[in-house]
């Protein structure tokens, strides 16, 4: 079983934290992992993406080919669209509907959402609203991961929770609780 | 043994530590920064005392590492590819002195220029210095290679160059650790003048380096990291895949590569093996990230009429990193069915953070310089290079570390007025101080802005070598007190900043203005760290 995931967002939105949590859980599941990240210049408010590949067999390439991704997990709708052509015909897009407008020429927001809805399999939700209503405003990324958790067939939800505990543990109990709560909220998103 | 999920950089760092490293010497540079950061964290967590403090630049790092090697201990020096240009003098000469304790020079190349100003290929430096070059293809190999590299360095008595690329440096994979080796004891070079590179000694040393070349070639042919697999029959095509491009080829053929394939992870290119491959094949396709380093050399060593294809023949793009789709296309494999490229997507370039002090500096520059028609602003390397992009569009040049001051001086010598240089604090101590001395010595009519955010910002907020020393450094170099000004770059100080900038431009001699305010990223981090420490104390 192989799962190819593209994580997308804007620098600072917590995309790499999602990758770290999945990666740690995959390690606990004894899976093979390859995860290519973007560091450096693009982290300053530019687009950030990560290619995450999980498999029960050795993985060759660090990068995902066109048409190969099973899931695109995005913190931002235009960033989800940016990698659309990497998605396999049966692949899923899981994204928030919250546009992050830090550029002057951001496309018409409705057109972005409409183009996403044209896709076969899309889960899209207002992550910011959901996070605020539940008092976990800083954990939109973990809500998103929760929403994607069912698509991560080879990783159990419990392992994701363990991973959140391990990764956020040094930031204190409150941060761990908020992130676990966010993860559970996301799991209910359809 | 224990398994870890490591970035390529972390695998290299841990590999070095477990190989008995005594010190790492480096200046931050994407994509190499995380190597030193891993060792710093490792030392904090374990209490091990390996040298791990950041150096002022790559040249000081290279020399200090060579000094540690002289003393008999194992040293690592890390840099990004353009850092090697700065370190090149001691690097090349280290192959003439040779080494005592193992010395690995780790250079992370950035094909596709994700975070760089060129995509030079470090393998050329290895050939230039006539030493072995290693190029890992996976995180595990990167880890395993470090102990091999140190043993190789100590047995050949030469530095070993290890080249990685962004895709491996910044990609995670599972790494199985090995038992750690203890550090070497103190055992400095003694009773020889081999390290005194006077011409008479250097000639002898260079002759000795040349004598060892057949041995270095033999080691590449027999290297456990180079592999050649082929059935004993004739093939239309064979493949050479260097470093991590080997993975892209394997990705194309999940059931095994149906061609003879030579994987190269140790250089010089294994000539004998390449001849064997050429005898079996009508053509050879060369996959390599970076420049056509192997492709060019293969053409030179083959007498047969085997056709060589790659970046030079247009079968692969001349520029940029390879990826699974480029490799597929070159091998005639169709791309998978996929959705069209989306219509409603635009580029999202990086920008200076909201609240960043550099923003106020650029705002001031733009306000003042709109009154001077011939004004030119010479930029430098760091976050503030983003001042070239909208909304500021304030820079006329960015070339290399330190070039802002020296280019402003040269342009001023030619008659440009006003000539303004903008350089960050860490870049200034890296390579700006010597240029400032040139400007002092001629009292060049330029205005130098050292935008001091108390850190090395672009690479993630590492310590900056000159913090709290800038006024003293400038005075020491001879900048006059009357034309050395410090301001706080905040929007509410704009009147004061623009007034000072205008006065110093009008002064027809050298001025230095230091806008100083902490990077907001490190400010946030430091606040969090303090809060966490308070929590700990309470608990």
């Amino acid at each position: 079983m192989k799962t190819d995931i593209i994580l997308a967002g804007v620098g600072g939105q917590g995309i790499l934290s999602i990758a770290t949590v999945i990666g740690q859980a995959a390690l606990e599941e004894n899976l093979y992992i390859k995860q290519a990240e973007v560091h450096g210049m693009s982290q300053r408010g530019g687009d950030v993406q990560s290619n995450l590949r999980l498999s029960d067999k050795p993985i060759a390439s660090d990068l995902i080919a066109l048409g190969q991704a099973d899931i695109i997990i995005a913190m931002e709708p235009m960033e989800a669209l940016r990698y659309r052509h990497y998605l396999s015909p049966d692949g899923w897009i899981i994204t928030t509907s919250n546009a992050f407008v830090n550029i002057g020429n951001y496309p018409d927001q409705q057109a972005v959402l409409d183009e996403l809805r044209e896709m076969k399999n899309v889960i899209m939700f207002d992550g910011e609203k959901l996070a605020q209503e539940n008092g976990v405003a800083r954990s939109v990324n973990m809500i998103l991961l929760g929403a994607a958790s069912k698509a991560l067939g080879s990783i159990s939800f419990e392992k994701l929770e363990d991973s959140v505990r391990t990764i956020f543990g040094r930031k204190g109990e409150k941060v761990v609780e908020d992130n676990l709560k966010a993860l559970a909220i996301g799991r209910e998103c359809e | 043994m224990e398994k870890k999920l490591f970035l390529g950089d972390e695998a290299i760092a841990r590999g070095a530590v477990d190989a008995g490293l005594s010190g790492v010497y480096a200046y931050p540079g994407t994509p190499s920064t995380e190597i030193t950061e891993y060792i710093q964290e490792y030392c904090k967590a374990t209490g091990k005392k390996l040298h791990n403090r950041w150096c002022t630049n790559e040249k000081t790092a290279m020399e200090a590492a060579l000094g540690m090697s002289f003393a008999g201990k194992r040293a690592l020096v890390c840099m990004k590819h353009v850092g090697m240009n700065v370190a090149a003098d001691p690097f090349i000469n280290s192959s003439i002195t040779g080494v005592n304790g193992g010395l690995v020079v780790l250079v992370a190349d950035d094909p596709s220029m994700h975070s760089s100003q060129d995509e030079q290929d470090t393998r050329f430096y290895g050939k230039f210095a006539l030493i072995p070059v290693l190029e890992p293809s996976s995180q595990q190999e990167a880890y395993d290679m470090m102990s091999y590299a140190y043993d190789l360095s100590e047995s050949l008595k030469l530095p070993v160059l290890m080249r990685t690329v962004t895709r491996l440096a910044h990609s995670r994979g599972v790494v199985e650790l090995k038992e750690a080796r203890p550090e070497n004891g103190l055992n400095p070079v003694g009773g020889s003048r081999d390290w005194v590179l006077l011409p008479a000694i250097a000639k002898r040393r260079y002759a000795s380096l040349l004598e060892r070349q057949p041995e270095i070639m033999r080691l590449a042919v027999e290297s456990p990291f180079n592999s050649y697999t082929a059935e004993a029959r004739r093939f239309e095509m064979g493949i050479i895949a260097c470093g991590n491009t080997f993975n892209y080829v394997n990705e194309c053929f999940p059931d095994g590569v149906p061609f003879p394939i030579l994987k190269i992870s140790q250089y010089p290119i294994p000539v004998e093996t390449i001849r064997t491959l050429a005898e079996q094949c009508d053509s050879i396709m060369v996959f390599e990230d970076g420049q056509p380093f192997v492709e060019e050399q293969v053409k030179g060593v083959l007498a047969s009429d085997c056709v060589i294809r790659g970046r030079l023949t247009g079968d692969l793009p001349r520029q940029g990193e390879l990826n699974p789709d480029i490799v597929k296309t070159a091998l005639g494999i169709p791309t998978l069915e996929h959705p069209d490229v989306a219509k409603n997507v635009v580029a999202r370039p990086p920008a200076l953070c909201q609240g960043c002090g550099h923003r106020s500096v650029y705002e001031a520059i733009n306000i003042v310089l709109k009154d001077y028609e011939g004004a030119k602003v010479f930029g430098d390397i760091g976050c503030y290079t983003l001042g070239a992009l909208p909304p500021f569009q304030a820079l006329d040049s960015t070339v290399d570390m330190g070039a802002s001051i020296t280019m402003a001086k040269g342009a001023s010598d030619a008659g440009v007025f006003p000539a303004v240089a903008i350089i960050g604090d860490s870049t200034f101590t890296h390579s700006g101080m010597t240029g400032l001395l040139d400007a002092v010595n001629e009292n060049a009519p330029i205005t130098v802005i050292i935008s001091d955010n108390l850190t090395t910002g672009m690479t993630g907020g590492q310590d900056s070598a000159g913090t709290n020393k800038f006024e003293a450094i400038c005075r020491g170099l001879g900048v006059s007190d009357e034309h050395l000004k410090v301001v706080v770059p905040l929007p509410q100080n704009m009147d004061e900043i623009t007034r000072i900038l205008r006065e110093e431009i009008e002064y027809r001699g050298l001025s230095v203005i230091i806008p100083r305010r902490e990077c907001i990223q490190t400010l946030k981090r430091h606040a969090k760290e303090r809060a966490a420490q308070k929590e700990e104390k309470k608990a």
Side-chain angles (χ1 to χ4, degrees):
Chain A
M1 168 109 186
K2 181 170 71 71
T3 311
D4 288 330
I5 307 162
I6 292 178
L7 296 154
V10 181
Q13 282 193 316
I15 277 299
L16 296 183
S17 295
I18 299 179
T20 310
V21 171
I22 300 177
Q24 173 67 29
L27 190 65
E28 292 296 319
E29 295 278 14
N30 263 317
L31 296 172
Y32 289 92
I33 306 155
K34 288 266 188 176
Q35 189 223 321
E37 304 179 347
V38 174
H39 294 200
M41 203 167 215
S42 32
Q43 282 179 289
R44 300 280 170 277
D47 57 290
V48 170
Q49 56 86 14
S50 170
N51 280 199
L52 178 54
R53 313 190 69 197
L54 312 172
S55 177
D56 53 3
K57 298 194 186 69
I59 303 162
S61 168
D62 297 87
L63 297 176
I64 296 169
L66 292 169
Q68 197 178 22
D70 301 295
I71 320 169
I72 293 174
I73 301 177
M75 286 292 288
E76 206 276 349
M78 184 179 77
E79 296 308 323
L81 276 184
R82 191 185 300 282
Y83 305 99
R84 181 175 87 160
H85 47 298
Y86 281 88
L87 201 62
S88 82
D90 295 322
W92 281 82
I93 294 182
I94 297 154
T95 181
T96 77
S97 55
N98 308 114
F100 188 98
V101 183
N102 64 343
I103 43 174
N105 59 338
Y106 194 95
D108 179 64
Q109 293 188 28
Q110 195 54 48
V112 169
L113 300 184
D114 288 346
E115 200 175 4
L116 269 169
R117 289 198 184 98
E118 279 170 21
M119 301 295 292
K120 191 172 154 197
N121 303 314
V122 183
I123 295 176
M124 180 155 59
F125 56 91
D126 187 339
E128 284 176 9
K129 189 170 162 218
L130 207 51
Q132 271 160 14
E133 283 172 0
N134 287 282
V136 289
R138 297 169 61 94
S139 304
V140 181
N141 60 341
M142 288 301 119
I143 294 183
L144 191 67
L145 174 56
S149 60
K150 284 175 196 164
L152 301 172
S154 42
I155 299 176
S156 72
F157 192 70
E158 291 67 37
K159 283 283 192 294
L160 285 178
E161 291 180 318
D162 289 347
S163 180
V164 165
R165 287 187 194 99
T166 310
I167 294 193
F168 294 103
R170 60 191 177 85
K171 295 187 175 175
E173 194 47 41
K174 171 88 171 85
V175 177
V176 171
E177 275 169 30
D178 285 356
N179 280 294
L180 285 174
K181 188 175 170 188
L183 200 63
I185 293 164
R187 183 118 177 121
E188 301 306 318
C189 291
E190 300 279 354
Chain B
M1 287 295 282
E2 196 182 353
K3 279 186 183 174
K4 295 270 195 188
L5 185 58
F6 272 156
L7 286 175
D9 275 350
E10 294 168 340
I12 288 162
R14 185 59 184 266
V17 168
D18 289 349
L21 186 78
S22 293
V24 60
Y25 296 87
Y27 180 80
T30 312
S32 70
T33 311
E34 294 82 358
I35 301 170
T36 305
E37 287 184 330
Y38 179 89
I39 296 173
Q40 291 171 341
E41 290 301 316
Y42 179 87
C43 289
K44 261 189 218 162
T46 60
K48 263 199 152 189
K49 288 191 168 53
L50 314 177
H51 180 275
N52 61 46
R53 195 178 158 147
W54 291 108
C55 301
T56 305
N57 68 30
E58 293 85 356
K59 180 174 181 286
T60 68
M62 178 71 216
E63 290 157 350
L66 189 60
M68 180 167 269
S69 163
F70 178 94
K73 298 196 177 182
R74 291 187 164 187
L76 175 65
V77 50
C78 318
M79 62 198 76
K80 69 181 294 172
H81 57 340
V82 286
M84 181 56 125
N85 301 329
V86 179
D89 195 0
F91 168 73
I92 300 291
N93 292 325
S94 71
S95 74
I96 311 292
T97 59
V99 308
N100 183 23
L103 176 59
V104 176
V105 181
L106 186 294
V107 183
D109 287 359
D110 189 19
S112 281
M113 302 182 234
H114 298 281
S115 249
S116 305
Q117 63 272 46
D118 71 33
E119 57 174 27
Q120 65 185 60
D121 188 326
T122 296
R123 294 175 298 173
F124 286 97
Y125 270 110
K127 188 164 159 38
F128 196 14
L130 299 165
I131 60 171
V133 179
L134 301 175
E135 185 182 14
S137 66
S138 69
Q139 294 79 2
Q140 182 71 55
E141 199 168 64
Y143 175 84
D144 294 339
M145 259 183 188
M146 293 312 287
S147 60
Y148 174 83
Y150 280 105
D151 291 348
L152 184 65
S153 171
E154 286 178 1
S155 73
L156 285 171
K157 292 281 168 198
L158 284 174
V160 169
L161 179 61
M162 184 144 147
R163 179 227 194 192
T164 184
V165 293
T166 303
R167 280 304 158 198
L168 179 58
H170 286 173
S171 176
R172 286 176 212 275
V174 180
V175 174
E176 188 168 350
L177 304 184
K178 291 181 189 154
E179 203 164 318
R181 171 195 183 279
E183 290 177 51
N184 290 351
L186 180 65
N187 180 28
V189 172
S192 132
R193 290 207 293 168
D194 284 354
W195 289 60
V196 184
L197 295 184
L198 284 165
I201 299 169
K203 280 179 199 169
R204 176 169 57 73
R205 297 295 301 153
Y206 185 51
S208 150
L209 176 63
L210 294 175
E211 269 170 29
R212 277 174 288 170
Q213 293 305 304
E215 168 74 354
I216 292 170
M217 172 61 79
R218 184 186 64 78
L219 288 164
V221 171
E222 293 171 7
S223 170
F225 300 106
N226 290 345
S227 62
Y228 179 54
T229 41
E231 290 169 47
R233 63 179 175 91
R234 182 121 202 112
F235 288 87
E236 250 176 58
M237 189 177 76
I239 292 174
I240 295 176
C242 306
N244 66 327
T245 69
F246 181 65
N247 305 329
Y248 302 143
V249 176
N250 282 322
E251 183 76 22
C252 291
F253 304 106
D255 302 320
V257 181
F259 305 105
I261 179 164
L262 167 61
K263 167 182 177 265
I264 302 184
S265 281
Q266 181 172 343
Y267 305 83
I269 59 163
V271 171
E272 263 177 62
T273 325
I274 289 169
R275 289 200 177 117
T276 309
L277 172 70
E279 278 162 20
Q280 263 198 296
C281 307
D282 301 334
S283 71
I284 296 175
M285 178 82 80
V286 183
F287 294 104
E288 52 191 324
D289 253 339
Q291 294 173 298
F293 174 78
V294 169
E295 188 182 349
E296 245 172 21
Q297 290 183 69
V298 167
K299 280 185 205 271
V301 299
L302 292 182
S304 69
D305 47 9
C306 182
V307 179
I308 310 302
R309 299 193 290 150
R311 290 182 184 268
L312 290 171
T313 54
D315 292 275
L316 292 165
R318 185 68 176 77
Q319 186 180 343
E321 64 182 349
L322 299 182
N323 64 38
D325 290 304
I326 293 173
V327 171
K328 260 187 195 172
T329 305
L331 292 170
I333 300 169
T335 303
L336 296 175
E337 191 193 330
H338 61 83
D340 296 336
V341 173
K343 289 188 283 289
N344 292 291
V345 174
V346 295
R348 196 191 293 267
L352 289 169
C353 303
Q354 292 303 322
C356 167
H358 296 316
R359 283 184 171 262
S360 299
V361 174
Y362 281 118
E363 198 184 331
I365 288 175
N366 282 347
I367 290 171
V368 173
L369 292 189
K370 72 175 183 328
D371 298 338
Y372 295 91
E373 203 176 323
K376 298 291 174 200
V377 180
F378 300 88
D380 227 298
I381 309 282
C383 284
Y384 50 94
T385 313
L386 296 172
L389 303 179
F392 301 108
Q393 297 178 287
L395 296 181
D396 293 292
S397 79
T398 295
V399 180
D400 69 280
M401 299 284 283
S404 57
I405 299 175
T406 34
M407 282 186 67
K409 180 181 175 297
S412 156
D413 292 345
V416 168
F417 175 80
V420 176
I422 174 156
I423 184 167
D425 51 314
S426 184
T427 306
F428 176 72
T429 44
H430 178 289
S431 287
M433 296 188 292
T434 44
L436 185 61
L437 183 57
D438 282 347
V440 164
N441 287 345
E442 295 184 32
N443 196 25
I446 63 172
T447 307
V448 176
I449 299 172
I450 304 174
S451 195
D452 180 7
N453 61 0
L454 310 170
T455 191
T456 312
M458 182 94 264
T459 45
Q462 294 76 21
D463 291 342
S464 171
T467 296
N468 298 328
K469 300 187 182 81
F470 289 98
E471 290 89 320
I473 290 170
C474 291
R475 281 192 198 103
L477 289 171
V479 176
S480 75
D481 268 337
E482 303 85 79
H483 298 286
L484 175 59
K485 304 282 170 65
V486 179
V487 296
V488 180
L490 282 166
Q492 61 262 39
N493 297 342
M494 198 50 64
D495 288 348
E496 184 203 356
I497 302 168
T498 51
R499 178 180 54 78
I500 290 173
L501 181 57
R502 203 178 295 276
E503 281 168 11
E504 296 309 327
I505 285 171
E506 283 302 323
Y507 167 63
R508 302 303 165 102
L510 175 68
S511 314
V512 175
I513 302 173
I514 307 177
R516 176 176 296 133
R517 180 156 68 82
E518 186 177 2
C519 162
I520 61 154
Q521 298 290 344
T522 58
L523 186 73
K524 278 186 209 161
R525 193 197 307 161
H526 291 150
K528 273 187 195 168
E529 281 168 3
R530 278 194 296 272
Q533 277 170 359
K534 263 189 193 167
E535 285 287 316
E536 260 176 46
K537 268 186 193 165
K538 270 189 216 163

